[in-house]
Amino acid sequence: MNTAADPARFDIVARIAQCVPDLRPAERTVAALILDDLARAARASIGELAQRAGVSVASVTRFAKAVGCHDVRELKLRLAQAAAVGERFLRGGPVPAQGGAAARAAATAPEPLATRVYDEIHAALARNHELLRQAPFAQAAAALGAARMIYVFGMGGGSSALADEMRFRLVRLGRPVASYQDSLLQRMVASTLSPDSVVVALSVTGRVPELLDACRIARDYGAKLVALTAPASPLAALADWLVPIVASETDFIYKPSSSRYAMMMALDVLVTELALAQPDESRELLRRMKHTLDAHRGGGERQPLGD
């Protein structure tokens, strides 16, 4: 694999694991040492690596080249980058006890998985609740209410789905809205906008390059930007109105990110603010929708407005 062609995509952890079967015995020892503690290996000198592995300095150099690095210096740089991802993804956190009654009994007071997931969701909501109390929801909702057209941009596993969720919520209130998740379409749409357009950009990190580019293009053509994102992010710096979202992931990596619940809470508050800003219109539109759904599917009065 040519590392020079696209060095940013060179995953040193995966590369070492792939190369192990073809390595010499001394090089395999170096691989085992490095994979056991990436951060420590990144800090060690070539002599320290050789001494701890019980091999020669030349073996460490050969290992670096065998896994696609030009030299040991590049190897250490890539190890440092991999370690920065976080040890929780290299070693994993404790796995909750699963299986039958015997497996659960063998564990020491296992916490029910439902409780653990609930607790993390609750913590994410509580942490973001304080931030959202100070967010400019009224101003952002006023912009959505006055917009000729609203465009919702989101990318990635969480924000892509929530971009559509935002579109569904705004449609119920009679607002003209479209959602886009493809980066090229976002750029194309952004180039057609005008000062009476509003972009709602969703990103937990606020650092997705393609999304940032699309938002900059939209701003260049005069569109206003509502950003639901991290407060100190590049996307936040572009926003006319910032709705802050803070993600703080735990060591339990096996469940989906709780940050999407914080994003959904912010989204719900924003759309509710808009509904309350136009109460008569919102009430009539929601009444029509409920009447249409009940006539179609039947059911009680307290069924959700949707499904």
Side-chain angles (χ1 to χ4, degrees):
M1 188 177 293
N2 184 2
T3 62
D6 196 354
R9 296 190 181 187
F10 183 11
D11 183 344
I12 189 63
V13 175
R15 180 67 61 83
I16 293 174
Q18 292 167 358
C19 291
V20 164
D22 300 321
L23 297 177
R24 297 183 176 93
E27 294 166 2
R28 291 185 186 181
T29 304
V30 176
L33 175 72
I34 288 174
L35 292 177
D36 185 60
D37 192 338
L38 292 184
R40 185 177 180 185
R43 294 191 301 267
S45 67
I46 184 172
E48 290 171 336
L49 286 174
Q51 182 181 17
R52 287 170 49 206
V55 301
S56 66
V57 169
S59 292
V60 178
T61 301
R62 284 195 297 268
F63 170 80
K65 294 181 179 297
V67 297
C69 296
H70 296 296
D71 50 31
V72 175
R73 180 179 180 182
E74 182 186 350
L75 172 67
K76 291 176 58 179
L77 174 61
R78 294 193 179 280
L79 291 176
Q81 292 171 338
V85 169
E87 287 293 319
R88 63 196 179 106
F89 288 99
L90 299 172
R91 303 183 185 281
V95 180
Q98 297 294 312
R104 294 184 181 278
T108 304
E111 181 182 42
L113 187 56
T115 299
R116 184 165 192 176
V117 172
Y118 167 80
D119 286 345
E120 290 200 10
I121 294 171
H122 183 269
L125 293 176
R127 186 164 48 246
N128 281 272
H129 173 239
E130 294 303 318
L131 288 173
L132 296 183
R133 292 176 63 183
Q134 308 301 322
F137 283 112
Q139 299 92 316
L144 296 180
R148 178 184 61 84
M149 186 68 185
I150 301 166
Y151 301 89
V152 189
F153 292 170
M155 300 182 70
S159 297
S160 289
L162 290 176
D164 282 341
E165 176 76 13
M166 182 70 166
R167 172 166 58 91
F168 302 153
R169 300 298 146 234
L170 290 172
V171 162
R172 300 191 332 164
L173 301 179
R175 301 307 302 139
V177 59
S179 55
Y180 295 91
Q181 291 84 359
D182 180 83
S183 61
L184 288 180
L185 279 174
Q186 289 176 358
R187 294 176 72 93
M188 293 165 62
V189 168
S191 69
T192 70
L193 303 191
S194 56
D196 55 2
S197 305
V198 174
V199 171
V200 180
L202 311 180
S203 174
V204 173
T205 65
R207 299 180 179 279
V208 180
E210 297 86 349
L211 181 66
L212 291 171
D213 286 345
C215 289
R216 290 189 185 103
I217 294 169
R219 291 295 309 272
D220 287 345
Y221 286 100
K224 299 297 188 291
L225 177 61
V226 179
L228 281 67
T229 191
S233 66
L235 180 57
L238 292 174
D240 293 288
W241 300 282
L242 168 64
V243 177
I245 303 293
V246 173
S248 181
E249 298 301 321
T250 68
D251 289 340
F252 185 41
I253 65 172
Y254 303 99
K255 59 169 285 298
S257 171
S258 297
S259 62
R260 70 192 195 283
Y261 291 97
M263 178 79 78
M264 187 176 294
M265 176 171 64
L267 184 157
D268 281 357
V269 175
L270 177 57
V271 174
T272 303
E273 184 80 43
L274 174 60
L276 292 173
Q278 50 177 46
D280 295 337
E281 180 182 356
S282 297
R283 184 170 55 252
E284 173 58 16
L285 292 173
L286 295 173
R287 184 200 64 78
R288 291 185 200 175
M289 202 168 293
K290 184 69 165 69
H291 172 75
T292 301
L293 288 173
D294 286 354
H296 172 66
R297 69 186 178 192
E301 185 204 358
R302 295 297 177 178
Q303 287 189 116
L305 191 57
D307 204 20

